[in-house]
Amino acid sequence: DAKTTQPPSMDCAEGRAANLPCNHSTISGNEYVYWYRQIHSQGPQYIIHGLKNNETNEMASLIITEDRKSSTLILPHATLRDTAVYYCIVAAGNKLTFGGGTRVLVKP
Amino acid sequence: GAVVSQHPSRVICKSGTSVKIECRSLDFQATTMFWYRQFPKKSLMLMATSNEGSKATYEQGVEKDKFLINHASLTLSTLTVTSAHPEDSSFYICSAGLGDSPTYEQYFGPGTRLTVT
């Protein structure tokens, strides 16, 4: 599976949008982009996934560049409960390889 | 969304004993379940893929005789850490798949914190 690169940490203000970048320049044509997050001492939580089109659900939006080499997860109105480690994963099948993720701290 | 449970949530055992961790998909059937371990401040590492009714597939470097996996039904997989040692202390997390590849969503259990003394 292709490797992803994410910034190790970022802060954002409560109530503002949080934009989390992810680079996956070696992504293959059949690989999807998945986002999960892990709140401290809990199991990861599925957020969203996409192939090439932008996706939106009740939690977030996923913007994938046209060349699919990078993507951005958008949390539209960050809350304190969104503080977590966010993982961007590219995978073609059911096997997920977790990288370091981005540690997001939402501040009041 | 789909719910996956784990039991126990926390366990402390003595070195040399075995510990069994259960992973259950509560409201769906999962033909495939996954086991991960996570050390403090580190990312999740996939240990093995568990398929119902067949032998688990272990990742490179994971000892299959030490980490016994049984997936006896579509809603239950168990991980047994045999002859546990302090270095096995970790956060063990399972997940279960919902849907068919390639749009595969995995739902994770809350994790089991194992401490071996």
Side-chain angles (χ1 to χ4, degrees), chain B residues 83-105:
Chain B
S83 187
H85 291 285
E87 57 266 29
D88 298 323
S89 298
S90 188
F91 193 48
Y92 291 87
I93 307 170
C94 72
S95 71
L98 182 65
D100 297 322
S101 179
T103 57
Y104 203 88
E105 299 172 24

Side-chain angles (χ1 to χ4, degrees), chain A residues 25-96:
Chain A
S25 59
T26 60
I27 190 170
S28 300
N30 61 343
E31 288 181 313
Y32 281 68
V33 179
Y34 294 85
W35 283 84
Y36 286 79
R37 73 179 183 183
Q38 185 178 26
I39 296 170
H40 183 62
S41 294
Q42 296 182 25
Q45 177 189 21
Y46 166 82
I47 301 174
I48 199 167
H49 75 278
L51 182 63
K52 53 183 178 181
N53 297 323
N54 297 338
E55 302 288 343
T56 296
N57 62 21
E58 65 279 3
M59 289 184 68
S61 294
L62 173 60
I63 308 298
I64 302 174
T65 58
E66 195 168 337
D67 63 7
R68 302 210 322 126
K69 293 185 177 182
S70 65
S71 61
T72 301
L73 179 74
I74 301 173
L75 307 178
H77 304 286
T79 71
L80 299 179
R81 287 177 295 180
D82 291 323
T83 290
V85 178
Y86 287 76
Y87 295 100
C88 168
I89 301 167
V90 292
N94 58 11
K95 189 170 163 179
L96 302 179

Side-chain angles (χ1 to χ4, degrees), chain B residues 11-101:
Chain B
V11 58
I12 301 173
C13 72
K14 291 188 176 181
S15 187
T17 61
S18 295
V19 174
K20 179 185 285 187
I21 302 170
E22 292 187 348
C23 176
R24 294 182 185 271
S25 55
L26 297 185
D27 49 2
F28 66 101
Q29 294 184 328
T31 54
T32 305
M33 290 184 172
F34 303 85
W35 286 96
Y36 298 80
R37 67 187 297 182
Q38 185 175 31
F39 291 108
K41 297 187 178 181
K42 298 293 185 181
S43 188
L44 283 78
M45 289 178 48
L46 179 65
M47 298 174 66
T49 302
S50 168
N51 294 297
E52 186 265 338
S54 64
K55 290 184 178 180
T57 302
Y58 291 81
E59 295 299 302
Q60 191 172 13
V62 178
E63 299 176 58
K64 62 180 181 181
D65 293 331
K66 180 165 187 64
F67 299 100
L68 300 178
I69 292 173
N70 183 279
H71 194 157
S73 75
L74 289 173
T75 59
L76 173 65
S77 176
T78 60
L79 169 68
T80 301
V81 182
T82 62
S83 187
H85 291 285
E87 57 266 29
D88 298 323
S89 298
S90 188
F91 193 48
Y92 291 87
I93 307 170
C94 72
S95 71
L98 182 65
D100 297 322
S101 179

Side-chain angles (χ1 to χ4, degrees), chain A residues 6-32:
Chain A
Q6 297 177 253
S9 65
M10 64 183 294
D11 295 344
C12 69
E14 186 181 18
R16 305 292 292 270
N19 297 306
L20 283 61
C22 179
N23 285 321
H24 32 80
S25 59
T26 60
I27 190 170
S28 300
N30 61 343
E31 288 181 313
Y32 281 68

Side-chain angles (χ1 to χ4, degrees), chain A residues 91-105:
Chain A
N94 58 11
K95 189 170 163 179
L96 302 179
T97 301
F98 286 78
T102 296
R103 189 172 297 273
V104 174
L105 176 60

